Structures are given as structure tokens and as C-alpha cells.
Amino acid sequence: QANRRAQHPAPEKERQRPASQGRSGEYQDEGEEGSWINTLLPFASLILTVLMGLLAWYMMKYRIARKPIVKGISTSVMLDWDITNVYEYVSTPDFRTEWHMAAVEVNGPAIDHSAVTGEVFMEELRVKGKTVEVEWGVLERQFPTSVSTQYAEFVLEGVATIGAGKGARKETWREVLRLRAGRHSFALTAQTVLEMELIQDGGGEGKKDEASVKWRAALRATMKQSLKMLQSRVGERAVVAREAEDRKAEINKTRKAKAAAAKASAAGE
């Protein structure tokens, strides 16, 4: 019988039962380990998020140099002229000596027309007794296509050298002229609201007091005076332009009357 049992081994189920029981135990152990990982995972994620936030705060405060916010100086004025003519006047560099920030000289390759994007010119200003030389470049422009245009814009950007000699310093300036069309409430004539904004970004070397509140106050006062001058100059030009239009209309009226009289005389003959 022993030989028969040796020749005929037990069925496969009976021989594999212990091994099957062993693997079932292993699966149970692995399941317990996975549950612990799933429990700890949210806490690990939270800790990692906090650490990343602390690292970002440290880098922003101590490592990364923060650039100060640059605030523009702005002022505005109402002009009694249509937006097309006003834009043509303020965007022509050659006219800036008549109104812009006590400008004493303007030089450039083409300053006798409304400047287009990419053109450059030099301007010498007087601000609170200081000489300021600005190398302007036309950054962008939105030209009014007709008298019915409601908005136009002229943007300059350049480097301003303030003072002379060893005490000179440089700032980056951006000047934005925004024009909005309007109409007089009673006369119903065309008007234009012009806003002038100067954004200064102090760069280079120089004394800190020149970029202080007093310097900005001097710039603001000069800009306000500029717009008063602009209002006066534009008013004078508008009067001359309207008188020219009236004369032209009167001449055309006289010509038409003479032509009608000649036609009637010829018909009578």
C-alpha cells in the first residue's frame, strides 16, 4: 500500500493547499501596509504644500529683488478744437517748443510732421531750474482717422538725462497723450479732452532726492503749466482756422452768386 501511495501522489488541490494558505496571508499583510500609506498620504501632501509656501515666501522676501511700482503723473485739459487738429499739433515735435514742459530746443531728422512709430528726436527741457535732455522715440500711436473719431493716443518713450556733469542722473520716461473727442454744450463746436501722463522709472546712478516727492511735484507743476500753454496755443490756432474757413465759405458764396448772376444775364440776352 505504501508503494501504491508513492506511485499515486495526492491530488493537486491537497498538495497546493498549504501554499495557497501562505499566499493568502501575504496578501493580507500587503493590504495592511497599503492602508497605512493611504492614511499618511494626505498628511505628507499637506506638509509638502506648507514647505513649498514657506520657500516661496522666503525667496520673495529675501532673495528676489522686487522692482518698485512705478506710478505715473497725470493731468488733463479741455481744448476747443477737434480731435484731428489737436492730434496733428501735439504729435508734431517741432511744435513742442510752443507748449511742452518749457522745451527750449527740439532736434531730429524729421520733426516737421506728425511723428510716426519708430521716429526719434531730442528735446531739451527746463524743470525747476534743471536742464533735462530727453532722447525720445515714438513707441506707438493711434491716429484719428476723421473728426468723428472718439479716441486717439500718442506714446513716447526715452531716456532723460537730468542735470549735467558728475551730478547728472538718468531716468526712463514714458509720456502718454490720450485724446477724447467731445462737443461744447452750448456752442456745439468740437472739443477735445487731452490727458497727459508721465511715467518715470528711475535708473542709473544719482542722488536719491532727485527721485523724491519734491522732484515729482516739480514735474507735475511743469506738466500743468504745459497744458495751460497748450490750451492757449490750441485756442489761437482754432480761431485762425475758423476764420480761414469762414473766409473760404464767403469766397465760395460770392463766386456762386456771381456765377448765378452771369447765367441769368446770359439767359436774358
Side-chain angles (χ1 to χ4, degrees), residues 5-26:
R5 288 175 184 161
Q7 292 176 358
H8 300 282
E12 190 70 18
K13 286 185 179 180
E14 294 180 1
R15 287 194 302 110
Q16 292 181 355
R17 186 179 300 167
S20 174
Q21 290 177 357
R23 282 196 299 271
S24 176
E26 291 175 4

Side-chain angles (χ1 to χ4, degrees), residues 108-158:
I111 60 174
D112 59 348
H113 62 268
S114 178
V116 299
T117 304
E119 289 188 333
V120 297
F121 62 92
M122 290 280 298
E123 185 178 28
E124 184 178 336
L125 312 173
R126 294 285 188 271
V127 181
K128 200 180 179 180
K130 296 180 182 294
T131 299
V132 182
E133 293 184 353
V134 192
E135 300 176 14
W136 289 118
V138 182
L139 187 63
E140 59 182 283
R141 74 177 205 154
Q142 185 176 338
F143 185 81
T145 55
S146 68
V147 293
S148 61
T149 301
Q150 295 299 308
Y151 180 81
E153 191 173 79
F154 186 66
V155 184
L156 297 173
E157 190 173 70

Side-chain angles (χ1 to χ4, degrees), residues 13 16 59-60 98 103 118 175 194-195 198 204 217:
K13 286 185 179 180
Q16 292 181 355
M59 293 295 291
M60 290 292 293
E98 297 181 4
E175 182 180 280
L194 184 140
E195 179 190 359
L198 179 65

